Amino acid sequence: MKDGHEWSPLEISPADVQLEASAEGLSTFVKSADIGDLLVKEKALVFRGFGVDEASLDPIIDELLPNRAAYVHGNSPRTKVGQNVYTSTEYPAEFVISMHNELSYAHRWPSRLLFFCAVAPETGGATPVVDGALWLASLDDEVREAFAGGVRYTQNLHGGRGLGKSWQQTFETEDRDEVERFLTEAEASWEWRRGDDLRITHARQSVLRHPVTGTEVWFNQSDQWHPATLGEDAAALAKVLPMDELPQTVTFADGSPIPPEYVLQVRDRGLEAAVDVDWRTGDLMLIDNVLVGHGRRSFTGDRRVLVAMSS
């Protein structure tokens, strides 16, 4: 799995830990191991061959994610399928999803992500993972220096009809007051527009230090919010709408535009530095969401990967 990279996730099988190939065997290992220390050391763990299925998944999630969190303020299209368990993403299968740390644009982000492969794809569909320190180091000095002051994200969320997700889907509530309380705590600026639409603006970091190791990593989603990386449809939309009217966009923290070539470099070098984790049905992967970014390769077939997260 190294494929020329200096790092790859640690794979753990029943034979490695001398336990039975079952959900109970995995549960025994998780209870006996110091998963927190192991995860910080290895950055990502792949549990393979334990025969976990959706029916036996929930207790495993409880053990690996002690503070299971909802996907509130998330911008990726997902379906909630259990207690804070979601489909990993619902972007069309032919698209590659570039590297990112979950909710790095938000005021709070999960410390851990757990992926579970319920149905492996026919072809492709790997989850690439990237060492955030390696991603940061791969960028040109000019790009790193330009981002030093952080970034500013703008979201335009409709109230039920429009492009992208509604504010009700994004915040998992129909209550405006609850949304405003969340945004106040998040130190975001917002305004209600055209009756029931919501515009949110918030400045965030571009790099982050891990709370345990102190490692500095690339930690923002500027490339995923910039029209230059979002394909022909987004580029066409950006030509007819002002930037601040797009469903989502990003600038430097001072409001100045981010050159397209900068975000293209960020996207491409993150993918180039990534290691692919190819799925087999029943696999799980636990990642440190600060130390490691993730994405998705294109695929064919009925890929079903679920995700849960913890604070």
Side-chain angles (χ1 to χ4, degrees):
M1 180 179 282
K2 294 291 183 183
D3 193 29
H5 295 272
E6 296 180 356
W7 169 83
S8 62
L10 176 66
E11 290 192 9
I12 299 171
S13 70
D16 293 330
V17 294
Q18 299 182 332
L19 291 168
E20 66 178 24
S22 66
E24 291 76 16
L26 178 55
S27 180
T28 297
F29 170 73
V30 171
K31 289 175 180 176
S32 64
D34 191 331
I35 293 295
D37 285 351
L38 185 62
L39 184 60
V40 169
K41 177 184 176 184
E42 300 293 343
K43 306 176 186 177
L45 309 173
V46 176
F47 303 101
R48 181 159 281 164
F50 284 93
V52 178
D53 57 21
E54 287 194 55
S56 59
L57 178 62
D58 214 52
I60 301 296
I61 296 178
D62 286 339
E63 291 163 359
L64 292 172
L65 302 178
N67 300 300
R68 202 187 308 187
Y71 185 61
V72 175
H73 203 182
N75 68 335
S76 178
R78 303 177 188 271
T79 299
K80 196 170 187 176
V81 297
Q83 180 186 355
N84 291 341
V85 179
Y86 302 83
T87 55
S88 60
T89 187
E90 293 174 6
Y91 284 116
E94 64 268 25
F95 293 128
V96 172
I97 298 175
S98 61
M99 310 309 296
H100 61 285
N101 303 80
E102 202 64 50
L103 289 168
S104 61
Y105 52 84
H107 78 297
R108 289 182 180 172
W109 45 81
S111 60
R112 297 180 184 180
L113 295 182
L114 179 67
F115 298 90
F116 168 69
C117 181
V119 178
E122 183 178 336
T123 64
T127 293
V129 286
V130 64
D131 181 327
L134 177 62
W135 190 5
L136 176 62
S138 74
L139 302 176
D140 293 350
D141 291 344
E142 176 185 354
V143 173
R144 289 197 301 270
E145 291 166 6
F147 277 91
V151 295
R152 179 183 298 173
Y153 302 101
T154 298
Q155 288 174 285
N156 288 298
L157 302 173
H158 61 81
R161 296 181 64 185
L163 296 171
K165 294 175 70 174
S166 69
W167 63 263
Q168 295 94 331
Q169 293 170 316
T170 298
F171 294 100
E172 296 190 5
T173 182
E174 303 279 338
D175 188 338
R176 280 191 179 203
D177 291 339
E178 185 176 340
V179 173
E180 291 184 1
R181 286 192 293 271
F182 180 94
L183 294 174
T184 298
E185 183 181 353
E187 300 180 350
S189 300
W190 76 90
E191 61 175 318
W192 296 100
R193 309 174 71 240
R194 294 188 297 274
D196 204 29
D197 292 355
L198 176 62
R199 174 178 290 173
I200 305 167
T201 303
H202 40 107
R204 297 289 181 250
Q205 73 293 313
S206 58
V207 298
L208 189 69
R209 289 194 179 275
H210 190 271
V212 176
T213 68
T215 303
E216 189 175 44
V217 298
W218 185 252
F219 198 80
N220 67 83
Q221 281 174 241
S222 58
D223 64 306
Q224 293 195 333
W225 287 58
H226 197 290
T229 67
L230 297 179
E232 294 180 1
D233 290 344
L237 191 62
K239 290 180 180 178
V240 298
L241 283 179
M243 286 291 286
D244 65 357
E245 295 287 344
L246 295 172
Q248 61 185 43
T249 191
V250 64
T251 65
F252 289 124
D254 63 4
S256 59
I258 301 174
E261 61 269 24
Y262 286 7
V263 291
L264 290 169
Q265 181 182 128
V266 168
R267 180 196 66 185
D268 294 345
R269 294 194 182 171
L271 285 165
E272 289 166 5
V275 177
D276 283 355
V277 175
D278 294 306
W279 291 112
R280 304 171 194 167
T281 298
D283 286 353
L284 299 96
M285 179 167 63
L286 183 69
I287 70 173
D288 184 307
N289 186 49
V290 173
L291 293 174
V292 173
H294 66 281
R296 191 201 69 186
R297 303 293 184 184
S298 59
F299 66 94
T300 64
D302 296 325
R303 180 185 191 269
R304 179 173 170 83
V305 174
L306 305 181
V307 64
M309 57 199 76
S310 68
S311 56

